[in-house]
DNA sequence: AATACTCGCAACCGCCCCTTA
DNA sequence: TTAAGGGGCGGTTGCGAGTAT
């Protein structure tokens, strides 16, 4: 049994937002703020789901959003953070002022992952594709597990727990490729990580205010939550309120 | 000029976590 | 203590615009 719908879907409009709807939503949020989203549609005079209103506001109408193209610096930061965090788009977006998680996710899916592939880097693990092919070949010759034995661990990726800590080390060794200029010659050592790990942690703490948990603690939660119960599913991002 | 294909992005879906009664 | 509901998140889809054939 799933969750009940958050709104009456039969009487809710879907699809692209009109300028009139945007104006209503902006007018409402500018005077009343963004408190209870489920009540926003009714109060603002919109035939929309509250979630739809929230999404429209946070991804498009919110003040201080950037709508121009991503800069080279932003690209490199996204790649760096993706190597560290995986697809925690909201956390990555927190480090990019004026960008939303949807922006970052779309940009990654449409551009950055392709750029990485063009350079011979696997966009999931951030490792050279040739290395991965070698790993797959090694796995293929392993004997099958005995009957009743525990299932084998997942294929490791950078943002799984054991690799999270290792990544910091690798970062210090400047091995992670972050430069994704497709025109540049593909060379594993052509560009190196620019982001300072401790700076990232400090930024994260500052971004969440004084009452936010220490960033190291938050990262600890990521590591603990990365493989709950030993299965392959990544842990969800710990929420910071 | 018409059609097919690709790309970019806005929006939706469904799951999960947290809060609250 | 527990269940319901709200909010947040990542994954996916749909569609318009641009480009290639």
């Amino acid at each position: 049994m799933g969750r009940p719908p958050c709104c009456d879907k039969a009487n809710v409009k879907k699809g692209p937002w009109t300028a009139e709807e945007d104006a209503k939503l902006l007018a409402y949020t500018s005077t009343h703020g963004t408190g209870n989203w489920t009540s926003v549609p009714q109060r603002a005079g919109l035939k929309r789901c509250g979630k739809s209103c929230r999404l429209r506001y946070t991804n498009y109408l919110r003040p201080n959003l950037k709508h121009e193209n991503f800069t080279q610096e932003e690209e490199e930061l996204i790649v760096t953070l993706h190597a560290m965090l995986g697809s925690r788009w909201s956390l990555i977006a927190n480090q990019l002022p004026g960008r939303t998680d949807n922006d970052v996710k779309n940009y990654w899916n449409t551009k950055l992952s392709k750029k990485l592939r063009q350079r011979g880097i696997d966009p999931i693990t951030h490792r050279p594709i040739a290395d991965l092919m070698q790993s797959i070949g090694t796995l293929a010759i392993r004997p099958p597990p005995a009957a009743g034995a525990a299932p084998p661990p997942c294929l490791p990726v950078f943002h799984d727990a054991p690799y999270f800590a290792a990544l910091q080390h690798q970062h210090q060794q400047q091995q992670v490729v972050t430069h994704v200029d497709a025109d540049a010659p593909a060379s594993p050592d052509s560009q190196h990580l620019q982001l300072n790990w401790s700076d990232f942690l400090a930024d994260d703490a500052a971004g969440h205010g004084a009452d936010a948990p220490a960033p190291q603690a938050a990262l600890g939660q990521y590591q603990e939550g990365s493989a709950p119960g030993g299965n392959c599913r990544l842990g969800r991002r710990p929420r910071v309120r």
Side-chain angles (χ1 to χ4, degrees), chain A residues 111-129:
Chain A
K111 297 233 182 102
L112 287 182
S113 62
K114 288 175 189 169
K115 280 189 179 182
L116 284 173
R117 271 192 217 99
Q118 284 173 357
R119 300 214 60 229
I121 304 296
D122 179 67
I124 299 173
T125 62
H126 294 257
R127 290 168 168 168
I129 290 171

Side-chain angles (χ1 to χ4, degrees), chain A residues 75-122:
Chain A
E75 279 191 6
E76 291 181 9
L77 185 56
I78 292 169
V79 174
T80 300
L81 293 175
H82 188 273
M84 296 172 177
L85 302 167
S87 55
R88 265 82 164 193
W89 303 118
S90 60
L91 193 63
I92 294 172
N94 279 346
Q95 307 304 316
L96 295 157
R99 303 296 189 185
T100 70
D101 56 349
N102 212 33
D103 282 341
V104 175
K105 178 172 58 179
N106 282 333
Y107 193 65
W108 175 268
N109 287 334
T110 58
K111 297 233 182 102
L112 287 182
S113 62
K114 288 175 189 169
K115 280 189 179 182
L116 284 173
R117 271 192 217 99
Q118 284 173 357
R119 300 214 60 229
I121 304 296
D122 179 67

